[in-house]
Structures are given as C-alpha cells and as structure tokens.
C-alpha cells in the first residue's frame, strides 16, 4: 500500500481529485489513533488505513461519497464501521471508547481558464476569473 503523503502529492501534481480522510478523534478502544490518514482517489487504490479493516473500508466508502459531494464533513463511526449520528457538541472526551470521528476533505483542483490575448478584454476577464477561483493562464505575444 502506498504512503498516503506520497500519493496525495502525486495526485495534486497530476490534478487528480481525491478525498483526504483524517481521524480527528478516537475513543480509547477504537483501534486507531487521532491523526491517522487515508487518501482516497477518485479512481484507483487508496493509501493509508483507519485501523481495523471494517473501519478502513467504511472510511474509504464515505470518502468516495464525500468526494462526489464536494464538501468537507466530519463523520462519526463505530470501530466496526457503522456510521453513527453526528455529535451536537465537539468537547474533547465526548466519544465513547469504540467511536471514531473522521474529517473528510475533498481535494479537487480548480477549473482552468486559458485566455488568448492580454488586451482590454483579456486582463479584466483574467482578474474576474481569478476572483471566481479559476486557475488562469494568459497567452499573449506581447512582452
């Protein structure tokens, strides 16, 4: 199984969407420590684990779904992989011994916009596109 950090860097460089799953809280008997990470690509083999096999598979499934949804979420699970209702409060120590909370963060590269010409339309368009979150490239024959 590949290293999660190495896989994440590779996917970012190749502009391939993935979901980063991080255990943010774990009960004493959950079988995983806070800080454990998994990288779940849109297509391909995930890297990392979340402790027990059933929990790792549940996190993989939730991460894939969250990647499609495109929003950050904190999921609460039992150590055997069952999804539990979200907590209303976030106090340290609120978890039961067999519970885990996992942050699911979709990593999706921004849309790209290539503008040909840096004239009176191209430059304002580039500024607007950057404000809207596009990765902008301007091609122009002037210096």
């Amino acid at each position: 199984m590949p290293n999660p950090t190495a896989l994440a860097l590779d996917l970012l460089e190749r502009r391939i969407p993935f979901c980063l799953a991080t255990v943010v809280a774990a009960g004493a008997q959950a079988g995983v420590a806070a800080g454990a990470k998994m990288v779940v690509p849109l297509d391909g083999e995930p890297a990392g684990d979340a402790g027990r096999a059933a929990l790792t598979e549940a996190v993989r499934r939730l991460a894939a779904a969250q990647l499609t949804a495109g929003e950050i979420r904190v999921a609460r699970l039992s150590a055997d992989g069952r999804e539990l209702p979200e907590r209303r409060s976030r106090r340290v120590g609120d978890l039961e011994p067999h519970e885990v909370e996992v942050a699911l963060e979709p990593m999706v590269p921004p849309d790209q916009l290539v503008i040909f010409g840096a004239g009176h339309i191209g430059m304002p368009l580039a500024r607007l596109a950057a404000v809207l979150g596009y990765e902008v490239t301007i091609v122009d024959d002037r210096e």
Side-chain angles (χ1 to χ4, degrees), residues 32-49:
V32 65
K37 294 189 182 304
M38 278 183 70
V39 172
V40 180
L42 185 59
D43 293 318
E45 189 66 28
D49 66 64

Side-chain angles (χ1 to χ4, degrees), residues 39-117:
V39 172
V40 180
L42 185 59
D43 293 318
E45 189 66 28
D49 66 64
R52 299 176 183 155
L55 181 58
T56 296
E57 178 56 27
V59 170
R60 187 208 55 77
R61 182 180 37 78
L62 288 172
Q66 209 59 37
L67 182 55
T68 303
E71 297 176 348
I72 296 173
R73 172 181 175 223
V74 176
R76 187 168 150 241
L77 302 137
S78 66
D80 64 3
R82 287 180 296 117
E83 194 168 357
L84 302 170
E86 293 182 18
R87 292 192 295 162
R88 295 194 184 270
S89 66
R90 296 277 181 228
R91 292 187 309 226
V92 175
D94 277 353
L95 286 180
E96 296 294 323
H98 288 69
E99 291 179 354
V100 175
E101 282 189 329
V102 180
L104 303 166
E105 302 173 80
M107 302 291 184
V108 180
D111 290 328
Q112 293 179 304
L113 177 64
V114 178
I115 301 170
F116 292 90

